[in-house]
Amino acid sequence: MAFDPKEHQHERFNPLTGQWILVSPHRLKRPWTGQVEKPEEEVIPSHDPKNPLCPGSIRPNGKVNPEYDGVYVFDNDFPAMLPDVPSPAESDDPLERSRATTGACRVMCFHPRSDITLPLMTIEEIRKVIDEWSGQCTELGKTLKWVQVFENKGKVMGCSNPHPHCQIWAMSSLPNEASAEDMNQRDYLAKNGVPMLLKYARSEDEKRIRVLVDNEDWICVVPYWACWPYELLLMPRRRHILRMPDLTDSERNSLADIMKRLLTKYDNLFEVSFPYSMGFHGAPYGIPDSECQHWQFHAHYFPPLLRSATVKKFMVGFEMLAESQRDLTAEQAAEKLRNLPDVHYKLRK
């Protein structure tokens, strides 16, 4: 019997994290009788004075939002990290280690309307979001080592507030995921003489089997080692870029373009506002560029939906205790997404 990646289980290696992923495509044939998630197609008002993210609304701490008409950033009212706290005492017990860390947490609203999401915004509006992201990274990176821009979209991903927004958490230490990517990209450059994701982008560009969308400056793929069903990796197509503030004017415009296109594909897959967690990774701040040449700026998109708008992937059991597992192959997922219309389903009705 000859091996068929669409039929037979196998493991794939994620060179960014250093972890293996079990791929089990034959499991797509099994029936599903488990939990069903309600599709997120509720009617959302464009403005709700009770929504703490809307212009003019009162937040839980009593502060009043300005009547903003574009991007709006404020310090998180309930931050996970504070800028000035005591350091833990040193421990002689190697099993009870701790370290000091300081940080800042901010919330960033993309648009004044609550019934708008990124794929329904104009490229010009998304460009303003990118510019603010870059400015926040520059500002926070002056004093903090890691700046994490991330968006949780949809109730399934724990976002209970129906308003287009993201969060920006910055910290003085390097978090786990960033540390793994830092180590593995550094090792790859030392062994191969080229940044890992620069080489990977070129490889995917040549093969074209996992490419979803691309343009002059960017390429978006379902990575070979994808864990989530419709996971995406967005990378510079040709240029070596360390951090978001390093983007040129044209690269910011083309980033806005490709983000709108890939998110439109997401929404069109099951004709719902597609839930996901996403975030940007780039070289740490406060470190000379000469010591960060192994890094390549990129974004991860992790969506949970699997078979439909009502069936999601659960990371439980084996995934929590052994290793991540997926059913749909990366190539099958890329083909499904790639063949979807380029116009958002809400604009076609």
Side-chain angles (χ1 to χ4, degrees):
M1 178 186 298
F3 172 74
D4 184 347
K6 299 187 295 297
E7 293 288 339
H8 304 132
Q9 79 252 11
H10 57 285
E11 290 178 298
R12 297 188 180 190
F13 184 70
N14 183 337
L16 274 174
T17 64
Q19 297 181 336
W20 289 92
I21 293 91
L22 175 63
V23 183
S24 310
H26 56 283
R27 279 166 53 91
L28 287 173
K29 300 175 183 178
R30 70 188 179 115
W32 176 260
T33 58
Q35 181 177 344
V36 174
E37 299 292 339
K38 181 180 178 181
E40 298 186 24
E41 277 297 287
E42 60 183 303
V43 178
I44 299 173
S46 61
H47 183 274
D48 180 357
K50 296 181 181 180
N51 187 327
L53 297 185
C54 280
S57 292
I58 301 175
R59 302 206 302 273
N61 63 355
K63 293 184 178 179
V64 180
N65 294 334
E67 295 289 346
Y68 65 91
D69 59 3
V71 177
Y72 172 54
V73 181
F74 61 92
D75 289 331
N76 196 311
D77 296 329
F78 305 99
M81 292 175 286
L82 298 169
D84 186 17
V85 294
S87 298
E90 292 188 12
S91 173
D92 295 330
D93 188 342
L95 300 180
E96 295 185 5
R97 297 171 59 194
S98 60
R99 66 183 181 186
T101 189
T102 58
C105 300
R106 295 176 179 176
V107 177
M108 176 176 156
C109 298
F110 300 151
H111 198 281
R113 289 180 53 174
S114 294
D115 58 345
I116 292 291
T117 57
L118 281 170
L120 293 172
M121 290 168 58
T122 66
I123 291 178
E124 292 75 21
E125 289 171 333
I126 300 174
R127 166 63 195 265
K128 292 178 181 178
V129 171
I130 293 169
D131 286 341
E132 186 61 41
W133 280 337
S134 179
Q136 291 290 320
C137 288
T138 298
E139 178 187 341
L140 292 168
K142 291 178 180 178
T143 56
L144 296 166
K145 190 172 186 178
W146 185 256
V147 182
Q148 184 62 66
V149 175
F150 66 97
E151 179 192 6
N152 295 326
K153 182 190 175 193
K155 291 180 180 179
V156 173
M157 304 309 294
C159 180
S160 60
N161 196 308
H163 192 90
H165 71 286
C166 73
Q167 298 190 56
I168 305 170
W169 290 16
M171 59 193 304
S172 57
S173 55
L174 203 61
N176 293 336
E177 296 300 319
S179 294
E181 289 195 2
D182 182 70
M183 178 184 68
N184 289 311
Q185 288 181 100
R186 188 186 300 275
D187 289 348
Y188 186 92
L189 178 63
K191 294 176 182 177
N192 298 279
V194 60
M196 177 195 295
L197 292 186
L198 189 61
K199 175 65 168 64
Y200 184 59
R202 292 170 180 167
S203 175
E204 290 285 13
D205 205 1
E206 292 174 359
K207 296 176 182 176
R208 309 299 299 178
I209 57 176
R210 287 177 291 269
V211 176
L212 173 59
V213 288
D214 60 14
N215 58 28
E216 181 65 23
D217 301 310
W218 302 91
I219 186 168
C220 180
V221 306
V222 178
Y224 175 77
W225 54 81
C227 173
W228 293 94
Y230 295 97
E231 179 179 332
L232 295 177
L233 179 63
L234 176 60
M235 306 169 284
R237 189 173 182 180
R238 300 182 181 90
R239 195 167 80 88
H240 187 198
I241 301 170
L242 297 183
R243 307 176 184 89
M244 186 179 290
D246 298 331
L247 299 178
T248 65
D249 183 72
S250 62
E251 286 168 343
R252 295 181 186 209
N253 287 334
S254 57
L255 177 57
D257 166 74
I258 202 165
M259 286 180 61
K260 181 177 176 68
R261 291 168 59 199
L262 74 87
L263 292 175
T264 295
K265 295 279 192 181
Y266 262 178
D267 282 8
N268 284 345
L269 180 60
F270 301 128
E271 295 199 343
V272 294
S273 185
F274 205 70
Y276 59 78
S277 283
M278 70 81 61
F280 293 97
H281 283 174
Y285 291 83
I287 299 175
D289 289 355
S290 60
E291 299 178 18
C292 297
Q293 292 302 299
H294 53 291
W295 271 94
Q296 174 73 321
F297 176 69
H298 60 282
H300 296 283
Y301 288 82
F302 301 131
L305 297 186
L306 176 58
R307 294 176 178 84
S308 69
T310 61
V311 178
K312 72 174 184 177
K313 166 70 176 176
F314 288 91
M315 288 292 185
V316 296
F318 186 86
E319 288 92 342
M320 296 179 69
L321 298 167
E323 71 181 26
S324 296
Q325 181 273 336
R326 65 178 287 126
D327 297 342
L328 193 70
T329 69
E331 296 75 27
Q332 291 170 327
E335 183 178 9
K336 284 190 175 184
L337 290 171
R338 185 169 53 243
N339 291 336
L340 292 169
D342 295 320
V343 179
H344 197 279
Y345 73 93
K346 287 187 176 181
L347 303 179
R348 290 184 278 118
K349 292 183 177 180

